[in-house]
Amino acid sequence: SFLTAQDRLVKDLRLAGISTMETANAFLEKEYWPEWNVRFARPVQEFPNHHRALTKTELSACGVVADQQIRPRVECEFPRLKTTEVFSF
């Protein structure tokens, strides 16, 4: 099972008699996640910042605006349904 829960959570919920979202959330917060974190959580040893500074060109409006393209319009007829649908791809 590679040390993961896989379907264990569903079985644990059933064993605890949980049948509503509210009680399931309470079970996760108070019992399941703390036990899970003790078993699997590890402290971060090193967390370098991999972000790079933007250049003046990238900061300009042209460098920030997303590239937008117009999608082709395709009309498909469905004679049996007596309707025309419009799709864009």
Side-chain angles (χ1 to χ4, degrees), residues 3-87:
L3 298 176
T4 60
Q6 293 186 3
D7 68 338
R8 193 73 239 151
L9 175 59
V10 174
K11 292 175 183 175
D12 286 347
L13 290 171
R14 280 195 195 129
L15 288 172
I18 294 172
S19 60
T20 66
M21 291 289 278
E22 292 78 19
T23 55
N25 286 331
F27 172 79
L28 286 172
E29 291 293 325
K30 293 176 184 163
E31 295 183 38
Y32 191 81
W33 294 132
E35 181 182 311
W36 182 267
N37 287 335
V38 166
R39 188 170 176 195
F40 293 106
R42 300 291 179 264
V44 177
Q45 294 177 355
E46 184 180 333
F47 190 72
N49 185 355
H50 292 288
H51 294 92
R52 63 177 177 79
L54 295 176
T55 64
K56 287 185 179 182
T57 305
E58 291 171 326
L59 287 173
S60 71
C62 294
V64 176
V65 176
D67 179 35
Q68 296 182 1
Q69 299 176 0
I70 297 174
R71 296 178 173 183
R73 181 182 164 119
V74 179
E75 290 190 18
C76 299
E77 290 186 24
F78 300 98
R80 284 202 254 162
L81 300 176
K82 297 183 181 180
T83 182
T84 300
E85 296 291 329
V86 177
F87 297 97

